Amino acid sequence: MKIVIIGAQWGDEGKGKIVDYLANEAQIIVRFSGGANAGHTIVIDNEEYALHLIPAGILYPDKLVVLGAGMVIDPMALFSELSMLNKRGIETTGRVFISDRAHIVLPRYIEIDKERDAARKIPIGTTGRGIGITYSMKSKRDGIRLADLSWKERMDELEEADHEFLAPYLDQLLTMTIDMASFIQHRKNAQTLFEGAQGALLDLDLGTYPYVSSGMSSASGAALGGCVGPRALDKILGVFKAYTTRVGNGPFPSEFNASSEDELCGFIRKTGREFGVTTGRPRRCGYLDLVALRYACFTNSIDALVMTHLDVYDTLSEIKACVAYRIGDKMVEDFPSSVQALNTARPVLRSFPGWKQSLADRLTYEEFPLEAMEYIEFIERFCETPIHIVSVGYERKATIIRKSPWRQ
Ligand code: IMP
């Protein structure tokens, strides 16, 4: 079976934890898009691991992980991540493979990324990891792929500084590089997880352009970046937080009001640890935006949702979610493509009673308080998509499975 996991908001939904949890039953975990702009946090026995490039399945000793064709890979970031894992006792030799079609991030791309964004009138607020520049080199057909490392004529076109940068990594990169299309085809019956990065609303095509990342963070990207056709993908899971966050600039209609909701924002940021894993930046926080979530469900054919961070709401007596936008004098229920429209959109909020008790030790959905069930089931109806997994804490055990995606 092939299962895709994407973020259904603006990234940071807790995909890392969910991939780690579901990887238990997988044999191969493929990261299909993005680069070291991602930050996936996984907590095992109070030990925290922050992964940027390597799929979360690496934390199990027997899984194979693949950095897919849709990725952009900074070798320095990759080897520093591998060394961090090795130092913490995780064996990576012979388990980490890189698609020959993945592109390489060069230091000069990182410099251009930072300069370009700083020079914009309204910066996107990129992570400064060279992501957009590497993807634009790819589109211009000027990029360097892993496959090119052994193509002398192509390598001769690189600058001296590029060679100096790549030299210490070349041999190891070459041993990890695979023909990913045949690797996956030869293992077509393996239980495979396709791990997305960023989120549906940061997708270059479907997201809030130009305030997006440059990779394919929607479900369709799993096919391209995973070297399979769309029909090979059996299930698509969308991970979302019980509220919404966003890092960097760009429209965010349900964002907490800086003056009137500052206290709530501070509470969510502190309780939900809403600081970027890659940049340390405080995340912008807001109400759960159901208009945006429903759009993500439809445009990604999400079969089931995974809700995370529900426990952050444990102590609140009232919870609100955005169910429509007011734009000018119109009520809008569909997610607009226009940044201008989104920037002027005011959230129409619906209120839900809080449950005012800890969800931490619940083992099944049936043990949830009625109020938490009401919130969950409203979201299911609104998005016309079931919520099959609910996460109520960072640890693997704080995961309530209503239906496992590995079962039919
Ligand atoms: P870039 O991917 O570094 O080019 O950044 C483009 C936009 O995507 C910025 O607003 C970033 O903050 C955002 N972004 C990129 N990666 C992530 C992520 O993993 N989580 C959340 N936001 C991200």
Side-chain angles (χ1 to χ4, degrees):
M1 186 183 285
K2 291 184 175 55
I3 297 177
V4 179
I5 301 184
I6 59 157
Q9 295 165 315
W10 279 288
D12 308 315
E13 300 91 349
K15 293 178 292 294
K17 175 192 157 159
I18 301 304
V19 173
D20 169 71
Y21 190 91
L22 295 176
N24 188 25
E25 290 193 51
Q27 291 155 290
I28 304 170
I29 299 92
V30 172
R31 176 68 195 272
F32 62 82
S33 180
N37 49 349
H40 293 169
T41 309
I42 297 138
V43 182
I44 303 167
D45 299 332
N46 284 323
E47 284 262 336
E48 192 166 308
Y49 299 84
L51 300 173
H52 300 280
L53 285 164
I54 300 176
I58 195 69
L59 301 176
Y60 292 86
D62 55 336
K63 316 289 179 195
L64 303 183
V65 303
V66 182
L67 281 72
M71 285 190 73
V72 290
I73 296 164
D74 173 355
M76 186 148 70
L78 174 66
F79 287 103
S80 107
E81 201 164 313
L82 285 169
S83 136
M84 175 277 289
L85 289 167
N86 296 153
K87 278 192 198 126
R88 296 177 72 176
I90 291 155
E91 186 51 70
T92 54
T93 314
R95 298 179 50 214
V96 182
F97 303 96
I98 313 177
S99 167
D100 45 2
R101 292 173 194 273
H103 279 245
I104 294 176
V105 180
L106 293 170
R108 58 188 159 100
Y109 301 167
I110 296 177
E111 291 313 310
I112 302 171
D113 182 19
K114 290 180 187 160
E115 282 166 19
R116 282 260 170 93
D117 206 38
R120 280 177 206 273
K121 211 163 162 197
I122 304 174
I124 290 166
T126 75
T127 57
R129 298 294 189 273
I131 305 302
I133 304 303
T134 311
Y135 278 117
S136 62
M137 294 300 275
K138 171 179 172 174
S139 302
K140 289 199 303 172
R141 279 109 350 129
D142 287 329
I144 295 291
R145 306 186 303 169
L146 269 291
D148 301 336
L149 293 178
S150 39
W151 179 11
K152 188 177 174 313
E153 288 78 7
R154 181 74 186 98
M155 293 302 281
D156 285 347
E157 291 169 17
L158 290 185
E159 296 174 11
E160 192 47 43
D162 302 335
H163 286 289
E164 279 168 26
F165 169 71
L166 288 170
Y169 309 118
L170 266 185
D171 289 346
Q172 271 179 287
L173 282 175
L174 286 170
T175 52
M176 291 157 80
T177 302
I178 51 163
D179 170 350
M180 185 180 174
S182 36
F183 181 95
I184 296 291
Q185 174 63 17
H186 290 143
R187 291 164 183 78
K188 64 171 182 278
N189 294 322
Q191 301 277 80
T192 307
L193 267 184
F194 291 80
E195 169 184 344
Q198 289 78 52
L201 303 175
L202 285 173
D203 181 90
L204 186 61
D205 289 295
L206 293 169
T208 47
Y209 188 91
Y211 299 96
V212 290
S213 192
S214 304
M216 304 165 295
S217 40
S218 56
S220 307
L224 280 170
C227 294
V228 294
R231 267 191 287 147
L233 305 170
D234 297 295
K235 278 186 195 169
I236 295 162
L237 302 186
V239 185
F240 75 104
K241 271 193 282 221
Y243 47 91
T244 310
T245 62
R246 171 159 208 172
V247 194
N249 286 327
F252 184 174
S254 67
E255 185 168 18
F256 293 134
N257 185 299
S259 46
S260 60
E261 289 154 336
D262 190 40
E263 203 180 316
L264 181 59
C265 182
F267 169 80
I268 299 274
R269 193 174 280 149
K270 184 159 172 270
T271 318
R273 302 193 216 166
E274 296 301 348
F275 296 88
V277 179
T278 302
T279 58
R281 292 182 285 183
R283 296 181 184 137
R284 297 160 65 191
C285 300
Y287 298 108
L288 175 61
D289 185 340
L290 287 170
V291 179
L293 185 63
R294 181 168 57 188
Y295 166 78
C297 286
F298 294 166
T299 50
N300 290 276
S301 300
I302 291 175
D303 294 297
L305 285 163
V306 177
M307 185 182 205
T308 63
H309 287 66
L310 186 60
D311 53 303
V312 170
Y313 278 155
D314 278 356
T315 55
L316 299 189
S317 49
E318 185 192 21
I319 289 160
K320 289 181 192 165
C322 167
V323 290
Y325 303 143
R326 204 179 298 281
I327 301 178
D329 55 2
K330 288 205 181 77
M331 282 279 269
V332 175
E333 294 186 344
D334 293 322
F335 192 73
S337 63
S338 151
V339 165
Q340 218 181 3
L342 285 165
N343 276 342
T344 56
R346 295 283 156 266
V348 176
L349 299 173
R350 181 187 159 114
S351 171
F352 300 84
W355 40 95
K356 292 194 286 179
Q357 53 188 294
S358 168
L359 298 179
D361 49 3
R362 312 295 156 125
L363 299 174
T364 64
Y365 181 69
E366 287 63 38
E367 292 170 40
F368 273 13
L370 218 58
E371 293 84 353
M373 286 182 171
E374 268 170 27
Y375 187 51
I376 290 169
E377 290 168 23
F378 179 85
I379 298 166
E380 291 183 311
R381 286 194 299 277
F382 192 94
C383 294
E384 297 174 36
T385 311
I387 298 176
H388 281 172
I389 301 175
V390 183
S391 166
V392 291
Y394 291 95
E395 291 280 349
R396 278 179 183 163
K397 62 179 177 0
T399 316
I400 283 92
I401 306 286
R402 295 173 75 192
K403 185 169 180 208
S404 166
W406 294 118
R407 311 285 160 269
Q408 282 307 331

